[in-house]
Amino acid sequence: MIRPRQVAAIAAVALVMTACASDEDDPRASDGDTTVEVVNAYAPGSPGAAGAKALVDQTGPALGGESSLSNGDAAAPLAAVAEAEADGLTVGVAPSSALTLQPQVSEVGYGLDDFEPVLLTSSQPVVLAVEQDASYDKLRDLVAISKELTTKVASTGRQTPQGVDAAMFAKKSGADIVQKRFADDKESVQALVRGKADVTVTTAAAAIGPEQSGDIRVLGVFTPKPIDAFPDAPTMRSSGYDIAFGVDNVVVAPKGTSEEGVRTLRDAFKEAASSGEYQQFLTKNAYTAKAISGPALRTYLAKQAAQYKNVRQ
């Protein structure tokens, strides 16, 4: 049963699914249509939430209906999905860290094994940025100054890849860093612009607009390879810091959802992820397209959880 505080986290999304239960099987269905409940685990108004909406807007047509997206519980974004019936009628759209990292650091009431992975659709690179007029020209300048003066870093906290990247950067570089946690990436960037932080470690999607408008400069990217959106920013690996955690975007269903139910959801979200509209969103916001499903996705998530556990020790 879904707890009262989670009721607001789920909204009925009218999606017509031709391979789902009949009206007699599911009381939520009407006029032959089946209601699929979609939970958005990203902070409202954040770039991640915009990405989730861009995906789900295309999922409706893929299933033959209309779609909208509800906000998840900020404290435990996927709890409602974990507790839902495994009938193929509930799905969560979330950063993979909500499955692989957050259960390790917070009492969220669920773990990776409480879900059936459906599809990994894309990834958001994480970047390190400073104010446009900051005296740091390169990462090594930032590190040198940070060893002398404590540097305030705005991020979304140590329960997210951004916070882990910031902590690992401090550990590997020797920089004296204090993290300031903000609700989402947009807020962490604004903290930098308004002088409330010296640096932000945030997603490329949150940084690309302020960087193009001349408010901030990206000094480095937490990716294995350079990214087109910031051609002058070196990777952390090329700078001597082997750190590359990003924000993977995944779709999950409750544990025990049938193979047929998972397959129906996977096919619909895969079609949506390959749509021209979603691909345009990825390009505009510096996302990386990435499609993983089935046993490979389960292995990928388990490996990521182990990596987070290792860096936290």
Side-chain angles (χ1 to χ4, degrees):
M1 176 178 291
I2 298 174
R3 295 191 292 268
R5 69 185 179 88
Q6 296 166 336
V7 171
I10 301 180
V13 182
L15 304 179
V16 180
M17 295 180 65
T18 57
C20 287
S22 67
D23 290 355
E24 289 125 359
D25 293 327
D26 185 72
R28 293 175 290 183
S30 64
D31 298 327
D33 293 349
T34 300
T35 298
V36 174
E37 296 176 344
V38 181
V39 176
N40 176 12
Y42 293 92
S46 68
K53 185 178 186 304
L55 177 66
V56 175
D57 281 350
Q58 302 307 311
T59 307
L63 290 171
E66 297 297 327
S67 64
S68 62
L69 202 60
S70 68
N71 296 327
D73 184 330
L78 292 178
V81 179
E83 296 180 1
E85 292 185 26
D87 52 11
L89 304 180
T90 301
V91 65
V93 181
S96 62
S97 57
L99 301 159
T100 60
L101 173 60
Q102 195 169 5
Q104 297 187 40
V105 298
S106 305
E107 293 294 332
V108 292
Y110 62 78
L112 180 58
D113 291 339
D114 292 316
F115 301 93
E116 298 291 347
V118 174
L119 181 68
L120 191 152
T121 63
S122 58
S123 184
Q124 303 177 61
V126 172
V127 305
L128 184 151
V130 298
E131 287 184 278
Q132 178 63 37
D133 298 331
S135 58
Y136 321 118
D137 290 328
K138 297 184 181 298
L139 279 172
R140 64 172 177 265
D141 301 329
L142 169 62
V143 172
I145 293 175
S146 295
K147 288 181 178 179
E148 301 296 330
L149 298 172
T150 299
T151 299
K152 292 181 290 186
V153 177
S155 76
T156 46
R158 293 174 183 266
Q159 79 284 9
T160 67
Q162 298 91 310
V164 171
D165 282 337
M168 291 299 297
F169 177 71
K171 181 177 180 180
K172 289 179 177 290
S173 69
D176 183 4
I177 283 175
V178 173
Q179 286 198 55
K180 300 181 68 176
R181 178 181 174 184
F182 292 86
D184 59 58
D185 289 295
K186 184 184 295 185
E187 287 192 13
S188 69
V189 172
Q190 285 304 306
L192 174 64
V193 173
R194 294 170 182 169
K196 296 181 178 179
D198 304 307
V199 176
T200 183
V201 175
T202 186
T203 60
I208 192 168
E211 201 267 352
Q212 290 175 344
S213 65
D215 292 325
I216 67 175
R217 285 185 291 120
V218 173
L219 289 188
V221 296
F222 294 88
T223 54
K225 298 179 181 179
I227 57 179
D228 293 341
F230 309 105
D232 297 328
T235 67
M236 289 295 169
R237 285 181 179 175
S238 68
S239 301
Y241 314 118
D242 189 9
I243 319 163
F245 285 111
V247 180
D248 293 319
N249 306 298
V250 298
V251 181
V252 294
K255 181 70 174 180
T257 300
S258 69
E259 290 185 10
E260 180 181 5
V262 171
R263 183 169 58 251
T264 299
L265 292 168
R266 181 200 63 208
D267 292 348
F269 277 93
K270 186 175 289 188
E271 181 178 338
S274 64
S275 67
E277 291 82 355
Y278 187 64
Q279 291 297 313
Q280 288 176 9
F281 177 90
L282 298 188
T283 300
K284 181 180 179 181
N285 292 278
Y287 279 47
T288 301
K290 185 186 294 187
I292 308 176
S293 61
L297 178 54
R298 190 177 297 278
T299 299
Y300 181 92
L301 293 174
K303 181 179 179 180
Q304 186 177 97
Q307 289 172 330
Y308 278 128
K309 183 177 181 180
N310 180 58
V311 300
R312 291 182 55 251
Q313 292 176 342

